[in-house]
Structures are given as C-alpha cells and as structure tokens.
Amino acid sequence: MKRFITAITIAFAAILSLSAQDRLTVSVAVPEGIEHDNAAATLTSNLKQALVLNDAAADASRFVLKSKAAVLSKDVTNTAPAMFVTELEISLFITDTTSGDVMSQTSFTVKGIADSDKGSFMDAVKKVKARDPKLRNLINQAKDYFDEHIY
C-alpha cells in the first residue's frame, strides 16, 4: 500500500511539473539606466504587475523582462515657479537567458513634470502603467514566440 501511494504521489508531481512548463513565465530584472532607487523599484513593481495581469509572472525564470531607460531631454519651464520636465525612452525586452534570444521587445516615451529634477524623473517612471496595451502586446508576443519555438 505504501508503494502504491508513493507511486501515485510521484505521478501526480510529474503531471504538475509538466503542466507548469506549458506556459511562459517571466521574471523582472533590475532596470538599467535608472539611478534613483525609488524610480527603479516603481518601474520593477509596475512591470511585475503587468506580468501578473497577463498570467506570465514568476519570481525566478529562464525568461527575463529587461528594461532600459534613457533620458531623451531635461528642461526647465519659464514659469513661476519653475517646473522640471524629463522625457524618458523606456525600452523593454523579454529574453531567453539560455539561448540569448530576444523573444519580444518594445519601446516608448514617457514625460514627467515636477518641481524638482528627481521628481520629474519619478513622475515619468510612474507613467509606465501595468495595463498599458504596449506591455500587453509585448507579453503576448513573447507567449507566441514561446509557443512556436520553445514549447
């Protein structure tokens, strides 16, 4: 009887492990190009939420969502009080760490306005929303690539 229960348990565990591999799961890497810790944490949180909303989140995975932020412009308005305007280009890539393949990628710009340089940077990062259609398309493209080439 013990052997029977052990065999059933092993078979059940094998079925669970196989079913866990039939869908794409992605983890989020630390953002590049963001020197402010709060902004990096905010972007990471929003990207993780996007993965959760699209049923692709994982704490550790062979597939990683990498992000790079580049400052396109920094301006100060001529108004009183002066306001800082920062425009960022956010580039996102879902990569397979085993093969090095880029499964999907997208890029978009966001603009932040605040009464300080750091505040305008943070405001721009906050505008990367988890429900953004561009993020949904990025994840769906990676899922399609996973279904066609990996699974």
Side-chain angles (χ1 to χ4, degrees):
M1 185 66 169
K2 243 183 183 181
R3 288 183 186 172
F4 178 72
I5 292 174
T6 303
I8 295 292
T9 305
I10 290 172
F12 185 69
I15 290 170
L16 285 178
S17 68
L18 287 176
S19 67
Q21 295 175 3
D22 66 351
R23 68 178 183 87
L24 175 68
T25 57
V26 181
S27 59
V28 178
V30 176
E32 296 178 25
I34 298 180
E35 60 274 352
H36 307 297
D37 289 339
N38 289 343
T42 299
L43 181 59
T44 301
S45 175
N46 288 349
L47 295 176
K48 284 182 181 180
Q49 185 179 8
L51 291 169
V52 167
L53 289 171
N54 290 284
D55 194 32
D59 287 332
S61 176
R62 125 182 197 191
F63 307 102
V64 177
L65 174 55
K66 296 180 180 180
S67 56
K68 295 182 182 179
V71 177
L72 296 178
S73 66
K74 286 185 179 185
D75 296 314
V76 180
T77 63
N78 294 329
T79 61
M83 299 296 283
F84 291 80
V85 180
T86 301
E87 185 175 13
L88 300 176
E89 179 179 48
I90 307 289
S91 300
L92 303 169
F93 311 90
I94 296 180
T95 60
D96 181 350
T97 58
T98 303
S99 67
D101 292 341
V102 175
M103 299 169 65
S104 65
Q105 62 185 7
T106 191
S107 181
F108 51 88
T109 60
V110 288
K111 191 178 284 190
I113 302 171
D115 56 0
S116 69
D117 184 38
K118 187 176 179 179
S120 68
F121 192 93
M122 184 66 171
D123 186 52
V125 168
K126 284 181 180 177
K127 292 188 176 165
V128 178
K129 301 292 184 186
R131 297 183 189 278
D132 190 317
K134 291 179 184 176
L135 285 176
R136 186 177 319 116
N137 288 339
L138 172 82
I139 296 165
N140 287 335
Q141 286 174 356
K143 285 180 178 180
D144 292 342
Y145 183 94
F146 177 81
D147 292 342
E148 292 174 15
H149 297 94
I150 297 169
Y151 180 67

